[in-house]
Amino acid sequence: MKPLSIPNLLSACKSIRNLEQVHTQIIHKGAEQDHFVITRFISLCTSLFSNISYASSVFDRVLQPNIYLWNTLIKGYCKHSSLAQCISVFLRMKQSGNVVPDEYTFPSLLKACSSELALKEGQAIHGLIVRYGTEHDVFVGSSLVDLYGKCREIEFARKVFDGMCVRNEVSWTSMIVGYVNAGDLIEAKKLFDVMPKRNMNGQPNEAVEIFLKMQSMNIKPDEFIVVSLMSACSQIGSLEQAKWVDSYVSQSSLDLHQVHVLAALIDMNAKCGNMGRATMLFEKMPKRDLVCFCSMIQGLSIHGHGVQAVSLFRRMINEGITPDDVAFTVILNACSHAGLVEEGCRFFDSMINEYSLVPSTYHYACMVDLLGRSGKLRAAYELLKSMLVEPHAGAWGALLGACKLHNDIELGEEIAAQLFEIEPHNACSYVLLSDIYAAADRWLDVSFLRSQMIEMGVKKKPGRSLIYSAKPSVWYPYESVQ
DNA sequence: ATAGGGTTAG
């Protein structure tokens, strides 16, 4: 049996109640200033029990926290609190004067920026990373690649990636995901064109090529990588490529039982048009979860099987799975595409009244689309006006599209006026209204609108400067220099 | 001794 030391007691904690009991022991044994013990305590308190305020109060009693303690606390905040809170803890750390941020400090901060798409804050932190000389760490580099990729600053991501002296699977995944999300697989291909060619038995394409290059560089693809790869395939929608990846994944030693892997595999097959294979994988699952149901329902919807999508949704509920907001987006979308007005309205109603979900702007957009397409323009308009939150521009756009479809000039003008206010630089609404006028032979209105559109439509994106520091591999955006 | 990064459904 293990001795009843405090660290051992900590690792045995199964509930917050246990943790409080060990905390009593810590105070009793006078271990409140023991950095090792308190670090374990805070780590456990935040990661296992998500109790940042408790962790914070214990931290505050430590007189001279060391770097381990600060880093653990910052990670806790980054996981469970807002970016503003994380940065405020980081500033407290810097102002304490006892410790210097190191390569363990920055990854969690960058992750917090990444999840809030806080580019400016991320760039400021990038500046600090360079200042503290931690930019060559693989964790820091990967986090930066992830941050810039997520913020659609793919060139920054790439620059960091190129400057990294060590890269691992995480760095590669972050870079690939960045390119995938930017929809820029062509650029990815260009990068890998400078490396030796490999035979691919048929269809060369970008994501698979990246994948093969990784293998040739002895980077073993893990579950993360193949999920990214399959996500890329889903977006490209190529059946050939999906088949290739499917057979690779199925024959590999990768763990198909990891929930993300199978979910991505089903989603890829469903999106690429291989519903047969998707169905087989789906039905063979020992326990089907919400995500896989959604992938299947969406797959059916994409391929025009709206009625089947609805019945699969009903089966999901019968199997005891509770739909969430995403599931309702999927099914409302399916109803909208298949023109299943009655079913859609019933789902929308049950979403609110049975499942107590608050419809988002996306749900309203689906409903507006559904009602609008079937000619119930006024009902759609009333629904939009009844929204408590500000409607998404997409919802107005969908309704304007419906006005075009049903040649309703009066309502079209009313809605376009709202859209011009929300999105004055989006050409779509001008084009739609102009089409409505054209269909009614109101050419004067058309030409007026077109000239207005040209006037508003051309807007140059602001430029950006970069500066380079003494070391050529080190760079950061100009704004980050303080 | 104790601290850090990447993946799925709209």
Side-chain angles (χ1 to χ4, degrees):
Chain A
M1 195 172 141
K2 280 186 184 174
L4 292 177
S5 67
I6 291 177
N8 286 343
L9 284 174
L10 278 172
S11 16
C13 284
K14 296 254 182 296
S15 67
I16 199 79
R17 191 86 205 93
N18 292 159
L19 204 61
E20 283 167 356
Q21 288 164 339
V22 181
H23 187 200
T24 311
Q25 285 292 308
I26 290 173
I27 297 169
H28 189 70
K29 294 231 170 92
E32 275 189 292
Q33 304 303 319
D34 185 326
H35 290 160
F36 176 74
V37 165
I38 302 299
T39 300
R40 298 279 311 257
F41 183 92
I42 288 172
S43 172
L44 208 62
C45 194
T46 55
S47 65
L48 232 56
F49 306 114
S50 308
N51 196 330
I52 189 71
S53 58
Y54 189 15
S56 191
S57 70
V58 172
F59 177 92
D60 285 341
R61 299 180 63 85
V62 181
L63 297 172
Q64 294 221 318
N66 66 3
I67 186 71
Y68 292 95
L69 263 165
W70 278 111
N71 286 343
T72 308
L73 184 72
I74 287 174
K75 187 202 171 194
Y77 269 95
C78 292
K79 264 191 134 164
H80 301 290
S81 194
S82 68
L83 175 60
Q85 293 266 22
C86 303
I87 290 178
S88 114
V89 176
F90 175 67
L91 291 178
R92 258 172 66 204
M93 170 194 183
K94 279 194 6 174
Q95 281 154 8
S96 78
N98 292 322
V99 292
V100 176
D102 66 4
E103 65 271 28
Y104 285 84
T105 315
F106 294 114
S108 12
L109 279 173
L110 290 172
K111 187 186 181 180
C113 294
S114 161
S115 59
E116 290 191 20
L117 302 179
L119 182 60
K120 277 222 150 60
E121 289 83 350
Q123 286 175 326
I125 291 166
H126 191 173
L128 291 171
I129 285 168
V130 175
R131 187 192 292 172
Y132 286 104
T134 56
E135 72 274 19
H136 295 299
D137 182 81
V138 64
F139 281 73
V140 172
S142 303
S143 305
L144 281 169
V145 171
D146 170 64
L147 169 80
Y148 286 128
K150 290 256 163 65
C151 292
R152 297 289 188 273
E153 293 288 352
I154 198 69
E155 282 173 28
F156 287 171
R158 178 58 189 282
K159 229 169 174 142
V160 173
F161 185 77
D162 286 346
M164 289 173 74
C165 31
V166 181
R167 297 179 200 98
N168 61 16
E169 309 82 41
V170 177
S171 334
W172 281 89
T173 311
S174 300
M175 195 65 234
I176 292 170
V177 170
Y179 274 122
V180 168
N181 289 337
D184 201 351
L185 289 164
I186 306 295
E187 272 305 309
K189 185 177 177 346
K190 274 189 198 156
L191 164 66
F192 290 103
D193 276 346
V194 295
M195 297 176 181
K197 285 258 176 232
R198 280 191 48 159
N199 289 330
M200 290 182 49
N201 305 326
Q203 336 72 31
N205 74 54
E206 296 83 355
V208 174
E209 203 162 307
I210 297 167
F211 181 63
L212 291 175
K213 286 286 166 15
M214 288 176 57
Q215 285 186 291
S216 73
M217 295 177 78
N218 287 326
I219 295 163
K220 193 178 170 292
D222 61 5
E223 283 77 9
F224 273 87
I225 302 268
V226 296
V227 169
S228 298
L229 180 69
M230 290 188 283
S231 163
C233 292
S234 301
Q235 298 191 27
I236 295 162
S238 152
L239 182 58
E240 283 307 302
Q241 184 181 291
K243 277 184 182 161
W244 189 91
V245 175
D246 191 333
S247 66
Y248 174 86
V249 171
S250 302
Q251 285 164 27
S252 70
S253 57
L254 290 160
D255 184 7
L256 284 182
H257 297 292
Q258 284 193 22
V259 59
H260 285 341
V261 180
L262 200 51
L265 190 59
I266 290 174
D267 187 61
M268 176 183 74
N269 276 294
K271 287 219 176 97
C272 295
N274 201 344
M275 279 311 288
R277 169 83 175 141
T279 307
M280 205 193 73
L281 289 165
F282 177 75
E283 296 297 348
K284 271 206 318 201
M285 288 176 82
K287 205 171 185 305
R288 286 162 287 277
D289 66 1
L290 180 61
V291 173
C292 293
F293 263 106
C294 286
S295 289
M296 288 296 295
I297 292 166
Q298 200 191 14
L300 289 168
S301 164
I302 289 169
H303 299 104
H305 307 298
V307 177
Q308 291 178 44
V310 167
S311 72
L312 190 58
F313 190 89
R314 297 224 170 94
R315 177 179 147 198
M316 178 178 85
I317 290 169
N318 287 337
E319 287 192 16
I321 291 169
T322 309
D324 67 354
D325 54 332
V326 177
F328 276 106
T329 308
V330 174
I331 194 63
L332 290 177
N333 207 10
C335 291
S336 159
H337 281 121
L340 302 168
V341 183
E342 224 173 277
E343 286 86 345
C345 291
R346 234 178 289 149
F347 282 130
F348 189 67
D349 185 66
S350 86
M351 171 183 180
I352 298 165
N353 297 318
E354 258 180 80
Y355 294 96
S356 309
L357 293 167
V358 178
S360 73
T361 52
Y362 291 104
H363 299 109
Y364 278 107
C366 285
M367 286 309 290
V368 167
D369 194 48
L370 178 70
L371 293 167
R373 277 175 202 241
S374 59
K376 300 184 191 308
L377 296 176
R378 287 282 156 186
Y381 189 42
E382 292 308 316
L383 185 70
L384 265 192
K385 284 199 296 191
S386 76
M387 284 175 67
L388 294 174
V389 287
E390 198 62 21
H392 190 251
W396 290 113
L399 188 51
L400 186 56
C403 291
K404 184 198 159 194
L405 195 67
H406 297 280
N407 298 317
D408 191 327
I409 299 177
E410 196 193 324
L411 193 58
E413 282 178 326
E414 208 173 322
I415 289 156
Q418 312 239 31
L419 263 173
F420 295 158
E421 222 166 87
I422 307 171
E423 295 190 319
H425 299 292
N426 188 344
C428 296
S429 29
Y430 292 88
V431 173
L432 276 173
L433 183 60
S434 146
D435 286 348
I436 293 175
Y437 284 141
D441 277 336
R442 286 172 55 169
W443 299 103
L444 207 63
D445 289 314
V446 171
S447 75
F448 175 69
L449 207 58
R450 288 267 155 93
S451 61
Q452 219 182 356
M453 189 180 111
I454 291 162
E455 201 180 301
M456 300 294 291
V458 269
K459 195 154 192 272
K460 199 184 160 291
K461 278 191 178 175
R464 190 191 289 275
S465 342
L466 297 178
I467 65 156
Y468 291 81
S469 79
K471 275 185 248 169
S473 67
V474 177
W475 71 282
Y476 44 90
Y478 180 71
E479 295 94 296
S480 65
V481 183
Q482 295 165 347

